[in-house]
Amino acid sequence: MDKAGARREEILERLEAEGGVTPESVARIALETGVPEADVWGAGRFYSLIREPGRRVRVCTGLSCRLAGATHRIEELERSGEPREEVSCIGQCDRAPAALDPDLELIPGTGTASSVLPDDPALPVNLGGADPAGYEALAKAQAAGPESVLGIIEASGLQGRGGAGFPAHVKWRAVAGQAERSRYVVCNADEGEPGTFKDREIMERRPHLLLEGLAVAAATIAASEIIIYIRGEFRDAKRSLETALKEAAGHLEPFDIRFANGHGAYICGEETALLESLEGKRGMPRLKPPFPTENGFRGKPTLIHNVETAACVPFIIHHGGERFRDLGRTGAGTKLYCVSGHVNRPGVYELPLGVALDELVETAGGYTGSPMAFSPGGASSGFLPMSLRGLPLDFRSLDREGSMLGSAGVVVLNDTVDLVAAADWQTRFFDDESCGQCAPCRIGARFLRNACGRFRTDGDPDALLHVEDVGWEMEEGSICGLGMVAAKPLTSAMKHFPDAFRRQR
Amino acid sequence: MSDRFTITLDGRNCPATSGETVLDVAGREGVSIPTLCHDPRLDPAGACRTCLVEVAGERRMQPACAFRVRPGMEVTTGSERIARHRKVLYGLYLADHRLDGSGLPSENGSVNRLREQAARSGALVLPPVNAPRSGRPGDSNPYIRFDPDLCILCARCTRYCDEVEAVSAITLTERGAATTIGTIGDSGLLDTSCELCGGCIDTCPTGAMTEKKSYGIRHEEMEQVRSTCNFCGVGCQVDLKVHNGRVVKVASPPPGETVNDGNLCVKGRFAYDFIHHEERLRYPMIRGRDGELHRASWDEAIRKTTEGLLAVKEKHGADALGFVSSSRCTGEENYLMQKLSRAAFGTNNCHQCAAT
């Protein structure tokens, strides 16, 4: 239990400043903050960027980086004797195979900078456009008043872009309608879904757009504090936002905007785990209900939005909800699709929501080789066969196929890929990133990892017995969304590519 | 505040009050829902997932221990879906647990509640997952042992240490399959804020937190004797566990039953060696003219004491006497002591060691 006045929210930042968890750093921080030593220790050991001291290169082992030769890179580093750590996806799939130097600065792979579409003011996010610090949408929203803004957001049909696709206006109204006056806006910039790097591009290219969207939300729901929880590995994105915040100063005066660093935990992209992390705890998701709109940061009503969702808001305010809605094909608005893997120009492309795979990949320069499978929404969406290439890439259609649009991190795999290996990599990712709180996910993910690994080694399908049962239980019994999808890579690969999982020898 | 209404539990109307959980109502109605991470003294964690039930209108099964009742709510505690869930869930627990020859969770002496629950669920048989969960084998504290192979990560011990004792000596540490119960720097409990109250042992549902001194003595072979702790005047109730005529363990009665609500301190729980100590005084003794102690009857001893005290009073006055009582005495005994001092001997020189 904390001492009265303990400053728990500071402990993770302090651990980072101290260079990581050691008994000495933990004892010092506990003494200075009034948080029990064991709690500082347990929280710090949760996060891969601070759990151990020591400088090392971090090599991404995400799917796209694996496809681009991450394994080779790891072997090279091993030979050179340089301290290294294999880490989960670092959100640089378009620059694969990527790594981070000991200061967490990017060491890009062979690919060049990410591709985006050229400047087009008709696009709501328009990554290729200028990013002026005008803040006219904010002024317009403030003049129109909250009720009017809520109506516009509702008319836009804007759905959360973080993965769940929850209608934005429902969340806004839920927070706005709380009796509690102390409220927060939290921006989820902890982008970590393997195959996803759109939020990074928004923060680097359109930081003002993001800040403005968040400010409109805060003004509408009567929150004065905005916290941007930004992935610890995204050094460039954070610098970009910090610069923008200085440039915007006057416009954003009524708001208290601050940054909080992620410390290396995919699960903190889950909104309640993010809140726990903000409060200086282990990133273990909370039970829902209650939802953050009622009981969020510090127990207060909190509006949590993904970066892209907030970045859509200024356009909607400028041009009206209908204009945004009509930009979509099978859902409302445009969507930033991240494309990586076996395509010619990996990058982020803003296209109508509901575009099909072929059209998307054409924009990304076409397929490399002969496509065999794709993941429409990162690791969480599993693998789909090319026979489903005609599906609209939207929330509903993919859901019906037992997959998901998620964060729209589309990864294409051509026929040179060993699909069992790909399923194995993704399964390991979820096992590495499970928080460990609930048994279905903690034990289930390890079971799947072992099963897939054994099949890969022995080629004996008996290793895969009960994968379906365990996958079912993880989806039904886990506390949060990570556990619910962690079996998808393996179960979807087994379902759609049964030949790959027959007896191999 | 306390709205009363009814909910439907397996098709039956049951009274409920706002603020209650499904588990609260089920417990009152005699509907059995398995739990592992639940302890009524702690905030519900909903982490072990054994208590998931179906609630009409909720897409996902919900933890009965944490889900609050609403008017008209319809709850189902048994269905095909719940049965399948339990079958696989317990299968996973078993794959992550030390098993005995029968394929059920081992017992190291303490009760392992997972054993009976898993047997009842027809748990799926899965290969062991070999989670890299470490313990602290070098921990030299004399009382508390942590056995990671029996741990289910329900976090009752860490939550108890935090929420009830406000000590926070232990914590969940690491992540994913490696998650375990740890301390700062994996140090032994003696080097932490631990007060060795042993509450972690009582709350642990599987015996992963267990007592070193009685390790391995089977709970079925122990007799239980309810008694009152005599280390202080609070009157904590204790359950003495007796094996072959000797007290080998002290446990707290379950929460909610006695004044100590399931809690004990280090003395009450672990300092029971005196009971069978060879130097323990079992009868009065009087020092004779030969300078040695000799066994005496209570009458003799009291008479001898009275004579001595009265002799001092006669020679030096009543205020030459002083009466010091012990914090191990009850309130009633302390009252009698001061009465003896004031009424019988006529002095106010009366003190009790916990009075300062």
Side-chain angles (χ1 to χ4, degrees):
Chain A
M1 193 174 280
D2 293 355
K3 288 187 177 153
R7 299 190 304 278
R8 185 180 283 259
E9 286 172 19
E10 295 173 11
I11 65 173
L12 299 176
E13 298 289 336
R14 283 172 178 254
L15 281 168
E16 186 180 320
E18 293 256 5
V21 170
T22 63
E24 296 73 32
S25 67
V26 166
R28 193 158 43 239
I29 291 167
L31 192 69
E32 288 167 4
T33 59
V35 178
E37 284 181 344
D39 287 15
V40 179
W41 178 269
R45 293 287 298 175
F46 186 87
Y47 298 92
S48 60
L49 293 181
I50 54 174
R51 65 190 303 273
E52 270 166 4
R55 294 172 61 77
R56 54 202 178 269
V57 173
R58 292 174 164 88
V59 189
C60 178
T61 59
L63 178 59
S64 298
C65 286
R66 288 273 192 193
L67 294 178
T71 314
H72 182 65
R73 186 164 196 167
I74 292 164
E75 286 163 4
E76 267 180 4
L77 275 166
E78 190 142 286
R79 275 194 296 276
S80 77
E82 194 172 346
R84 55 155 182 98
E85 183 183 353
E86 292 163 40
V87 297
S88 299
C89 180
I90 55 174
Q92 306 287 351
C93 320
D94 49 337
R95 295 156 181 167
L100 297 170
D101 76 9
D103 297 312
L104 299 182
E105 299 292 347
L106 176 69
I107 312 172
T110 43
T112 49
S114 183
S115 295
V116 295
L117 295 174
D119 182 17
D120 178 0
L123 295 174
V125 180
N126 191 20
L127 286 174
D131 189 50
Y135 292 88
E136 286 115 9
L138 176 60
K140 193 172 171 185
Q142 283 171 318
E147 259 320 303
S148 166
V149 172
L150 288 169
I152 296 170
I153 297 295
E154 180 168 2
S156 75
L158 177 64
Q159 289 170 277
R161 260 60 174 151
F166 194 79
H169 74 95
V170 177
K171 273 196 205 174
W172 290 35
R173 284 195 202 279
V175 179
Q178 295 291 327
E180 168 65 54
R181 301 304 297 171
S182 166
R183 302 157 180 183
Y184 297 95
V185 170
V186 171
C187 177
N188 184 347
D190 194 43
E191 180 171 59
E193 181 69 33
T196 312
F197 42 91
K198 64 188 177 62
D199 295 340
R200 183 201 77 201
E201 288 296 306
I202 294 174
M203 291 186 278
E204 290 183 17
R205 294 169 189 264
R206 303 296 313 264
H208 286 295
L209 194 68
L210 170 62
L211 292 174
E212 186 171 26
L214 293 170
V216 170
T220 308
I221 64 158
S224 60
E225 196 169 338
I226 300 171
I227 303 154
I228 302 174
Y229 185 93
I230 186 166
R231 183 163 189 184
E233 293 91 334
F234 282 173
R235 295 301 208 230
D236 288 337
K238 188 174 177 193
R239 280 190 286 265
S240 161
L241 280 170
E242 282 169 341
T243 309
L245 194 56
K246 281 190 202 117
E247 290 167 2
H251 298 290
L252 297 173
E253 208 147 57
F255 308 102
D256 175 10
I257 302 180
R258 67 179 170 96
F259 299 99
N261 284 340
H263 299 279
Y266 164 76
I267 186 59
C268 290
E270 198 280 341
E271 59 182 3
T272 59
L274 186 155
L275 293 173
E276 291 288 292
S277 182
L278 270 182
E279 293 177 6
K281 300 177 195 157
R282 297 164 59 80
M284 302 195 304
R286 301 175 182 173
L287 301 175
K288 293 193 268 193
F291 292 91
T293 46
E294 177 195 344
N295 189 339
F297 182 52
R298 298 174 181 161
K300 306 292 184 191
T302 303
L303 177 69
I304 308 180
H305 266 322
N306 172 258
V307 168
E308 186 187 350
T309 320
C312 289
V313 169
F315 179 93
I316 294 169
I317 300 297
H318 272 304
H319 303 285
E322 289 76 10
R323 168 100 173 263
F324 177 84
R325 190 192 62 213
D326 293 344
L327 287 170
R329 204 167 290 169
T330 58
T334 56
K335 178 81 194 77
L336 298 190
Y337 291 95
C338 319
V339 193
S340 65
H342 291 133
V343 299
N344 283 319
R345 277 201 310 274
V348 185
Y349 300 98
E350 185 172 7
L351 295 172
L353 186 58
V355 69
L357 182 71
D358 285 350
E359 191 181 339
L360 172 62
V361 174
E362 201 179 299
T363 316
Y367 296 101
T368 325
S370 175
M372 173 181 67
F374 67 106
S375 277
S380 304
S381 64
F383 297 101
L384 295 178
M386 293 311 288
S387 57
L388 294 173
R389 68 206 294 170
L391 274 182
L393 299 175
D394 65 18
F395 294 105
R396 218 176 6 199
S397 312
L398 290 164
D399 203 44
R400 273 201 293 264
E401 281 299 328
S403 178
M404 63 193 283
L405 177 62
S407 50
V410 182
V411 183
V412 175
L413 287 71
N414 69 19
D415 59 5
T416 63
V417 177
D418 173 0
L419 204 77
V420 177
D424 187 27
W425 297 330
Q426 301 293 58
T427 303
R428 278 197 254 171
F429 165 76
F430 285 116
D431 181 52
D432 287 338
E433 296 298 331
S434 165
C435 81
Q437 180 180 204
C438 71
C441 177
R442 181 183 72 247
I443 309 172
R446 183 51 60 115
F447 166 83
L448 296 176
R449 177 189 191 134
N450 292 347
C452 195
R454 255 202 316 274
F455 176 72
R456 225 181 135 189
T457 318
D458 305 343
D460 183 355
D462 281 355
L464 302 169
L465 267 179
H466 302 306
V467 161
E468 198 201 332
D469 271 327
V470 171
W472 178 89
E473 168 58 15
M474 291 171 76
E475 184 166 354
E476 288 276 2
S478 296
I479 290 177
C480 82
L482 188 156
M484 288 167 69
V485 300
K488 277 276 179 322
L490 184 55
T491 54
S492 64
M494 287 170 66
K495 175 181 167 194
H496 295 298
F497 303 90
D499 287 349
F501 293 90
R502 297 229 162 89
R503 189 170 296 277
Q504 301 295 308
R505 55 187 76 126
Chain B
M1 253 319 269
S2 58
D3 292 344
R4 291 172 190 283
F5 45 79
T6 57
I7 69 166
T8 316
L9 205 55
D10 295 328
R12 204 154 50 85
N13 282 336
C14 303
T17 308
S18 64
E20 284 186 312
T21 64
V22 171
L23 190 67
D24 292 333
V25 179
R28 197 169 50 233
E29 296 291 327
V31 175
S32 157
I33 297 175
T35 62
L36 288 170
C37 71
H38 178 70
D39 180 324
R41 294 167 292 179
L42 308 176
D43 290 342
C48 76
R49 314 309 276 169
T50 56
C51 73
L52 295 192
V53 294
E54 292 192 77
V55 179
E58 293 287 333
R59 192 171 54 85
R60 308 197 71 212
M61 290 182 279
Q62 295 290 341
C65 69
F67 204 81
R68 308 271 167 198
V69 291
R70 304 187 285 256
M73 195 162 84
E74 292 172 38
V75 178
T76 309
T77 68
S79 67
E80 261 181 50
R81 185 185 185 195
I82 293 170
R84 184 181 183 194
H85 153 66
R86 289 185 189 162
K87 184 184 162 88
V88 188
L89 177 68
Y90 285 113
L92 287 167
Y93 272 124
L94 263 52
D96 191 35
H97 209 81
R98 189 162 75 226
L99 307 179
D100 65 13
S102 69
L104 286 172
S106 289
E107 289 190 329
N108 55 14
S110 305
V111 178
N112 188 341
R113 290 178 57 202
L114 182 61
R115 189 179 167 87
E116 185 245 337
Q117 290 185 19
R120 210 166 357 124
S121 72
L124 197 64
V125 178
L126 299 170
V129 296
N130 301 318
R133 187 163 58 243
S134 61
R136 292 181 308 283
D139 187 341
S140 63
N141 86 79
Y143 302 134
I144 302 170
R145 172 183 165 131
F146 172 54
D147 196 343
D149 295 342
L150 295 183
C151 179
I152 56 164
L153 276 309
C154 68
R156 275 167 70 163
C157 54
T158 56
R159 289 182 290 133
Y160 177 87
C161 195
D162 173 28
E163 295 175 34
V164 176
E165 293 294 329
V167 164
S168 300
I170 51 176
T171 175
L172 283 176
T173 186
E174 314 309 299
R175 189 168 84 187
T179 309
T180 189
I181 308 299
T183 56
I184 174 174
D186 290 331
S187 46
L189 290 177
L190 295 181
D191 296 321
T192 68
S193 55
C194 178
E195 295 170 0
L196 296 169
C197 75
C200 49
I201 295 174
D202 259 339
T203 194
C204 179
T206 59
M209 287 286 177
T210 188
E211 188 174 338
K212 283 185 175 176
K213 289 198 285 184
S214 60
Y215 187 83
I217 302 178
R218 297 165 60 86
H219 62 88
E220 310 95 306
E221 294 168 5
M222 296 182 195
E223 244 182 289
Q224 181 168 305
V225 180
R226 178 69 53 92
S227 186
T228 304
C229 176
N230 62 5
F231 273 107
C232 80
V234 168
C236 290
Q237 297 296 288
V238 290
D239 284 337
L240 303 176
K241 309 280 185 171
V242 183
H243 182 252
N244 292 337
R246 294 176 73 84
V247 175
V248 293
K249 185 177 178 178
V250 177
S252 171
E257 287 190 8
T258 63
V259 64
N260 42 314
D261 196 24
N263 308 312
L264 284 176
C265 73
V266 58
K267 291 193 278 187
R269 189 183 304 274
F270 295 119
Y272 54 82
D273 292 345
F274 71 91
I275 297 174
H276 302 293
H277 199 283
E278 59 183 27
E279 289 175 13
R280 179 178 169 188
L281 274 180
R282 292 161 196 275
Y283 40 78
M285 291 197 282
I286 296 173
R287 195 174 299 282
R289 292 181 185 282
D290 57 0
E292 298 296 317
L293 290 165
H294 298 281
R295 183 166 183 164
S297 71
W298 279 106
D299 281 347
E300 288 165 344
I302 290 169
R303 196 180 316 120
K304 184 81 179 167
T305 311
T306 312
E307 283 167 15
L309 291 171
L310 286 174
V312 171
K313 180 179 174 182
E314 198 167 307
K315 191 167 175 191
H316 301 288
D319 284 342
L321 292 172
F323 293 78
V324 182
S325 177
S326 163
S327 66
R328 296 184 60 157
C329 296
T330 63
E332 294 81 350
E333 288 162 343
N334 280 312
Y335 172 79
L336 290 174
M337 186 67 161
Q338 64 84 32
K339 187 133 186 178
L340 183 73
S341 161
R342 293 192 171 103
F345 288 97
T347 175
N348 287 326
N349 290 344
C350 185
H351 189 63
Q352 198 258 18
C353 73
T356 48

